[in-house]
Amino acid sequence: MPTKREYRDDYPDKTLYIPGPTEVREDVIEAMCEPMFGHRMDRMTDLYTTIVEDTKTFLGTDNDVIVLTGSGTEFMESSILNLVDENVLVTTCGSFSERQANVAERLGKTVDTLEYEWGQAVKPEDVREALEESDTHYDVVTCVMNESSTGVRNPIEEIGDVVADYPDTYFVVDAVSALGGDYVDIDEHDIDVIFTSVQKAFAMPPGLAVCVVSDDAYERELESDSASWYGGFQRTLDYYDRKGQTHSTPAIPVMLAYRKQMKYMLEESHEARDERHREMAEYTQEWAREHFDMFPEEGYESQTVSCIENTRGIDVAETIDAVSEEYDMVFSNGYGSALGEKTFRIGHMGEHDLESIEALTDAIEDVAGL
């Protein structure tokens, strides 16, 4: 049992370059400080319909949008409950895609995995082969768009095109660490469900999860004998259609922050936000190859999180501590025991720009003597 560690009031401010949470604009944080109001008042309808419809506009989708209090894991779980009767094909290439398989197994589903070594990307042709050659009918295929444990960006667009050839199989995408910083045309590639958490590339305080649901996925749930209560597509979307609100009490202050930040995102545009993230990623990858190497398979590098292979054998934990202490900047070690010292990760997402990423790499160079 851990002992109580009293929260203090004197922590130094640190600039976050981790794979989330990330930096949040000051006025977005301040937006959470409005006086409280009821979640069944007209004011709540104004707030919730604003953030839902603004999100649809930003993402350029005609599909339905759900914003619920929770982490993206809520929709990782509910999408399985809502769409899978029995069999699901989970593509795995890192920790978070393996988590999806574990979630589905714990929900009592029959899980087959299409497995790749960590650092490798899921290949569309392998998904097609798995669907064609299996005697099993899969209700759902899942894929992580951005495997932040390894820095791999999977080609979900091409995978979506493959799954679209199997009309009774639905495509579910975990885009937790990418959506909002890496452009994807959801409707064009027949993605039935795609979800994210707002504390990543949306650059908002933690507390909300966003899910985009196709009409086909909604209709699929209607045919099911059971579905998620909290994250059910029918329950959430029907309540929105009737009331313009959430079925359960939401984190109103975080939704106020969401409203403020989404206006900034609309002003910048999805395409421009994508370009800014691409510039940061390309710079970080070039820097990494000059001093270390990139861990992901070439050509499949993430646009929001760079996983860098520690080819110099620096003490990653010591370097992170020194950069934090001397520069008040925080980046991340490798994910888990397997990659903890073998890699380190730089989150270049949200409101960061090229200048701020260069400041971090300069600090790492100084501390590590590169």
Side-chain angles (χ1 to χ4, degrees), residues 40-60:
R40 293 294 175 244
M41 294 170 62
D42 287 345
R43 184 173 175 180
M44 187 66 225
T45 305
D46 294 346
L47 174 59
Y48 192 61
T49 57
T50 294
I51 64 175
V52 167
E53 298 307 319
D54 279 357
T55 304
K56 291 175 69 172
T57 300
F58 175 78
L59 294 175

Side-chain angles (χ1 to χ4, degrees), residues 63-80:
N63 291 345
D64 289 310
V65 165
I66 304 166
V67 182
L68 283 184
T69 301
S71 70
T73 311
E74 161 57 31
F75 288 115
M76 180 184 289
E77 181 175 69
S78 63
S79 61
I80 298 298

Side-chain angles (χ1 to χ4, degrees), residues 283-284 287 346 356-366 370:
Y283 166 79
T284 308
W287 176 85
I346 295 175
S356 71
I357 300 301
E358 288 173 348
L360 173 65
T361 55
D362 286 347
I364 295 172
E365 288 181 27
D366 179 48
L370 302 182

Side-chain angles (χ1 to χ4, degrees), residues 300-366:
Y300 296 94
E301 297 89 352
S302 165
Q303 194 161 288
T304 55
V305 180
S306 285
C307 185
I308 298 166
E309 189 172 1
N310 182 19
T311 54
R312 287 175 175 260
I314 66 170
D315 188 316
V316 170
E318 184 179 282
T319 303
I320 290 171
D321 288 344
V323 169
S324 174
E325 181 68 26
E326 296 177 29
Y327 290 93
D328 288 326
M329 299 174 179
V330 182
F331 64 104
S332 182
N333 60 351
Y335 195 87
S337 58
L339 298 179
E341 282 287 326
K342 294 179 181 178
T343 64
F344 60 93
R345 295 174 296 158
I346 295 175
H348 33 77
M349 64 172 71
E351 294 309 302
H352 281 299
D353 57 22
L354 201 54
E355 183 178 357
S356 71
I357 300 301
E358 288 173 348
L360 173 65
T361 55
D362 286 347
I364 295 172
E365 288 181 27
D366 179 48

Side-chain angles (χ1 to χ4, degrees), residues 23-328:
E23 291 294 296
V24 181
R25 294 173 186 262
E26 187 173 339
D27 60 348
V28 172
I29 293 175
E30 290 172 351
M32 294 192 293
C33 298
E34 291 188 21
M36 191 49 55
F37 53 89
H39 69 292
R40 293 294 175 244
M41 294 170 62
D42 287 345
R43 184 173 175 180
M44 187 66 225
T45 305
D46 294 346
L47 174 59
Y48 192 61
T49 57
T50 294
I51 64 175
V52 167
E53 298 307 319
D54 279 357
T55 304
K56 291 175 69 172
T57 300
F58 175 78
L59 294 175
T61 182
D62 291 327
N63 291 345
D64 289 310
V65 165
I66 304 166
V67 182
L68 283 184
T69 301
S71 70
T73 311
E74 161 57 31
F75 288 115
M76 180 184 289
E77 181 175 69
S78 63
S79 61
I80 298 298
L81 284 170
N82 297 341
L83 299 179
V84 179
D85 284 341
E86 183 175 357
N87 300 300
V88 55
L89 177 64
V90 179
T91 61
T92 64
C93 62
S95 178
F96 294 98
S97 47
E98 290 179 0
R99 179 181 296 181
Q100 178 72 89
N102 180 255
V103 166
E105 288 170 352
R106 289 177 66 86
L107 293 173
K109 308 304 180 182
T110 301
V111 179
D112 287 342
T113 56
L114 180 58
E115 299 179 20
Y116 295 83
E117 291 184 11
W118 283 33
Q120 298 294 302
V122 179
K123 307 303 188 299
E125 58 271 22
D126 294 341
V127 175
R128 184 178 295 279
E129 182 178 346
L131 292 173
E132 284 184 352
E133 296 188 0
S134 176
D135 293 331
T136 301
H137 166 69
Y138 295 110
D139 298 312
V140 163
V141 173
T142 73
C143 188
V144 171
M145 176 177 174
N146 195 75
E147 183 54 82
S148 58
S149 64
T150 62
V152 166
R153 201 288 197 182
N154 284 311
I156 60 163
E157 294 87 351
E158 290 85 351
I159 297 169
D161 294 342
V162 168
V163 179
D165 290 337
Y166 300 82
D168 294 328
T169 299
Y170 298 81
F171 187 38
V172 172
V173 174
D174 171 346
V176 164
S177 58
L179 202 64
D182 186 341
Y183 181 85
V184 56
D185 191 328
I186 298 167
D187 301 9
E188 176 67 23
H189 298 285
D190 294 294
I191 298 171
D192 292 294
V193 176
I194 185 168
F195 56 86
T196 192
S197 295
V198 299
Q199 76 274 15
K200 306 281 186 171
F202 276 32
M204 300 178 195
L208 299 175
V210 180
C211 188
V212 184
V213 182
S214 72
D215 290 343
D216 287 344
Y218 174 87
E219 293 296 331
R220 165 66 178 172
E221 187 200 300
L222 296 185
E223 300 170 0
S224 300
D225 293 330
S226 63
S228 170
W229 190 92
Y230 186 72
F233 301 150
Q234 180 185 12
R235 181 170 170 76
T236 53
L237 294 173
D238 286 5
Y239 202 94
Y240 179 72
D241 285 343
R242 293 197 312 272
K243 302 285 190 178
Q245 298 175 350
T246 56
H247 58 64
S248 301
T249 309
I252 296 172
V254 188
M255 288 190 172
L256 288 165
Y258 190 117
R259 169 188 166 271
K260 185 76 171 179
Q261 174 63 5
M262 184 51 69
K263 296 300 185 185
Y264 282 120
M265 292 169 68
L266 286 168
E267 182 179 358
E268 184 177 17
S269 84
H270 200 173
E271 291 77 8
R273 203 170 177 85
D274 175 80
E275 179 60 30
R276 177 165 57 81
H277 281 75
R278 184 179 300 113
E279 289 176 355
M280 291 190 289
E282 289 174 350
Y283 166 79
T284 308
Q285 292 162 21
E286 183 178 343
W287 176 85
R289 292 189 173 101
E290 178 182 351
H291 297 288
F292 300 92
D293 203 356
M294 291 295 293
F295 182 74
E297 179 180 357
E298 187 173 357
Y300 296 94
E301 297 89 352
S302 165
Q303 194 161 288
T304 55
V305 180
S306 285
C307 185
I308 298 166
E309 189 172 1
N310 182 19
T311 54
R312 287 175 175 260
I314 66 170
D315 188 316
V316 170
E318 184 179 282
T319 303
I320 290 171
D321 288 344
V323 169
S324 174
E325 181 68 26
E326 296 177 29
Y327 290 93
D328 288 326

